[in-house]
Structure formats: structure tokens, C-alpha cells
Amino acid sequence: MQTKRFQHFGLVTTASLFIATSGTLGRSIDLDPQIIIWCRSFIAVFVLGGYCIYKNYPLLKDFKKHKIGLLFSGILMGIHWVTYFTALKMSNVAVAMLSVFTFPIVTVFLEPLILKVPFQKIHLLFGLMIMIGIYLLVPDFNLKDKMTIGLILGLISALTYAIRNIMVKTKISNMEGSSVMFFQMIVVCIFLIPALFFYPIENISSQWPLLLFLGIITTSLGHTLLANSLKSSSTSNVSILNSIQPVFGILLAFIFLKEVPQFQSIIGGSLILSTVILEGLRKL
């Protein structure tokens, strides 16, 4: 039992570390967010597709059964990633990642509206804690300030990700996680094709090493490990362990980008992550 728990902890932690590299990569890759996400998805299509074929997942059957859900969840995934990477460009890793990580609390507010489940009063307290945390993330909450705009984009990213997760949970929950990601990556690629004609791609060849890392390690391997971890534990348990992801992201940004979050942002981020962990603990 202890060995299984250790393996599960290692699996989720490794997945969180891989996914957390998106922050540093998003800041480092010298391309517009739309182009980065198109390249990320294009690479992931081949890696995830190969994995799904190797695992003999019924891709054609899944697509025929869930094509509408896969289409709309894929579009939401694309918006989530583009707004998140734009937030990274506008602010910094700490602000962008922590604002996106409000999505678990956004989810509990959306579920009563979308799924008609009972609303729990404790979520009002959690919502207040999140709002205070968000306010503390940026030193000067000003709509003319890039840091504030980055924060708002991060919150939009959290909203679209929360809706995407609810859609996956309710419409296509019987599919393998890697299969869902594979089809969503195809949708994102198609959805972002116009970006290739509107944004500069002259220096894309010099960015391929980072783009390959983003597509293979961050996206394909990271999300596959996270999806596999859900098979051996509850969603709440995985969500709690996955809360370390922004911490990894901030540490990586400190090591590779020399980004040091302000003390006020650390307090706000701690409040956000504490709320996410408390919500996860309630569901255990």
C-alpha cells in the first residue's frame, strides 16, 4: 500500500513538474502566443496520436460518438492556452500561473449553473479568499498596467479551462484522457491556422528546440502522466497534489529567468493555493 502511494505521489508530482515548464517556456519562446500554441498542438498531435495507436485506443469510434463535445472542448482548450500564454507575455510566471490556478474554484461556482447541482455556502467563503488573493497578486491594480491585463487574461484562461473540464467530465468522461487530448490538439491546430498568416513566423526555426520540449514533454508527456494518475486515485486527491504546479512554475522561472515574485504576490498566491487545497480536502 505504501509503495503504491509513493508511486502515485511520484506520478502526479512528475506530471505537475512537466506541465509547470509551460510558464518558463511561454516567457522564453520568441513567438506570438497564437503561433506557440499552434506549434505546441501540432507536435502533440503526432506524439499523442502515436501513443493512442500504441495503446490501441478506439479513436475512430470515440470520434464518431463524441465529435461535438470534442470540437467545443478543443476550442475552449485553445482559448485557454492562448490567453494563458498571452498572460505570461504581459505579466510574469507567478501572476499568470496563479491566476489560471483559480480554475478549481471557478469550477465549483459554474457547476450549480451548468449542472444544476446544489450550491454550497462554504464556496462563498472560498470565493472571497480567491478574490483577496487575486487582488494581492498585482501591486497596482490598474487596467492600463500590463501586469493587471496579464492577470485578467489569466482569469479568462481559468474560466475557459473550467468550462472545458466540465464539458469533458459530463460529455466525454468515458474516453481515455490521452485520446481526448489528441482530438483537442487537432481542433486547436485547425482553429489556429489563420494565425499562421497574421503573425510573424520568420524566426520559428530558431525556436524549435523549445517548441519541441513544449509539445513533447510539457504537453504530451505531462498531460498523459496526469491523466494516468487519475486511474489510481480520486480526482480530488490528484487536484490537491497538482496544486504544487504553480510552485514548480515559479521556481523554474526563478532559476531560468531570474524572476522573483513580489512579497505581496506571494501572499496572494498562497491564499489562492490554500483555497484550492481546502476545496480538494473537502471532497476526499
Side-chain angles (χ1 to χ4, degrees), residues 178 223 225 231:
S178 296
H223 284 278
L225 288 174
K231 297 178 182 179

Side-chain angles (χ1 to χ4, degrees), residues 65-108:
K65 186 177 180 180
H66 302 292
K67 53 182 176 291
I68 301 300
L70 290 168
L71 172 63
F72 284 102
S73 63
I75 291 173
L76 288 168
M77 192 69 173
I79 297 172
H80 157 63
W81 273 349
V82 169
T83 49
Y84 168 47
F85 272 62
T86 306
L88 285 168
K89 298 288 189 184
M90 296 290 289
S91 55
N92 58 35
V93 172
V95 170
M97 291 196 77
L98 289 167
S99 58
V100 169
F101 231 77
T102 61
F103 78 86
I105 304 302
V106 174
T107 302
V108 300

Side-chain angles (χ1 to χ4, degrees), residues 6-20:
F6 182 78
Q7 290 175 342
H8 170 67
F9 176 80
L11 190 66
V12 179
T13 303
T14 303
S16 299
L17 176 60
F18 286 168
I19 297 172

Side-chain angles (χ1 to χ4, degrees), residues 5 8 42 47 50 60 69 89 109 125 133 140 147 161 169-170 172 208-209 211 219 226 271-272:
R5 286 182 179 178
H8 170 67
F42 182 78
V47 179
L60 187 59
K89 298 288 189 184
F109 277 93
L125 174 61
D140 181 23
M147 197 72 72
Y161 191 54
K169 178 182 177 181
T170 56
I172 44 182
W208 273 117
L211 289 169
T219 307
L226 191 63
L271 195 57
I272 290 171

Side-chain angles (χ1 to χ4, degrees), residues 237-258:
N237 195 5
V238 172
S239 297
I240 293 170
L241 293 175
N242 194 39
S243 297
I244 199 173
Q245 187 183 134
V247 178
F248 280 146
I250 292 169
L251 286 174
L252 290 171
F254 173 73
I255 294 169
F256 293 103
L257 304 177
K258 308 304 179 185

Side-chain angles (χ1 to χ4, degrees), residues 69-271:
L70 290 168
L71 172 63
F72 284 102
S73 63
I75 291 173
L76 288 168
M77 192 69 173
I79 297 172
H80 157 63
W81 273 349
V82 169
T83 49
Y84 168 47
F85 272 62
T86 306
L88 285 168
K89 298 288 189 184
M90 296 290 289
S91 55
N92 58 35
V93 172
V95 170
M97 291 196 77
L98 289 167
S99 58
V100 169
F101 231 77
T102 61
F103 78 86
I105 304 302
V106 174
T107 302
V108 300
F109 277 93
L110 287 177
E111 283 182 333
L113 298 174
I114 298 176
L115 305 181
K116 307 302 180 183
V117 298
F119 180 78
Q120 300 181 39
K121 293 181 180 179
I122 187 66
H123 290 152
L124 291 174
L125 174 61
F126 288 167
L128 178 61
M129 292 171 64
I130 287 288
M131 289 177 65
I132 295 172
I134 290 169
Y135 180 78
L136 292 173
L137 277 183
V138 293
D140 181 23
F141 200 87
N142 186 340
L143 292 177
K144 295 182 179 180
D145 179 54
K146 283 188 175 183
M147 197 72 72
T148 303
I149 296 173
L151 171 64
I152 293 171
L153 286 169
L155 295 175
I156 294 172
S157 180
L159 175 63
T160 54
Y161 191 54
I163 298 172
R164 175 263 184 190
N165 288 347
I166 292 173
M167 182 172 290
V168 170
K169 178 182 177 181
T170 56
K171 302 296 183 183
I172 44 182
S173 59
N174 59 334
M175 280 181 62
E176 293 288 342
S178 296
S179 299
V180 173
M181 281 292 292
F182 167 67
F183 285 115
Q184 288 179 340
M185 294 304 93
I186 294 175
V187 172
V188 174
C189 280
I190 297 171
F191 181 59
L192 289 177
I193 283 177
L196 300 175
F197 301 94
F198 288 97
Y199 295 94
I201 58 174
E202 289 80 9
N203 64 331
I204 196 170
S205 59
S206 65
Q207 304 300 308
W208 273 117
L210 294 178
L211 289 169
L212 286 170
F213 192 99
L214 179 64
I216 297 172
I217 305 299
T218 309
T219 307
S220 303
L221 188 54
H223 284 278
T224 297
L225 288 174
L226 191 63
N228 289 339
S229 69
L230 289 169
K231 297 178 182 179
S232 58
S233 186
S234 67
T235 304
S236 299
N237 195 5
V238 172
S239 297
I240 293 170
L241 293 175
N242 194 39
S243 297
I244 199 173
Q245 187 183 134
V247 178
F248 280 146
I250 292 169
L251 286 174
L252 290 171
F254 173 73
I255 294 169
F256 293 103
L257 304 177
K258 308 304 179 185
E259 284 189 3
V260 181
Q262 295 190 3
F263 180 73
Q264 182 176 319
S265 296
I266 293 174
I267 298 299
S270 299
L271 195 57

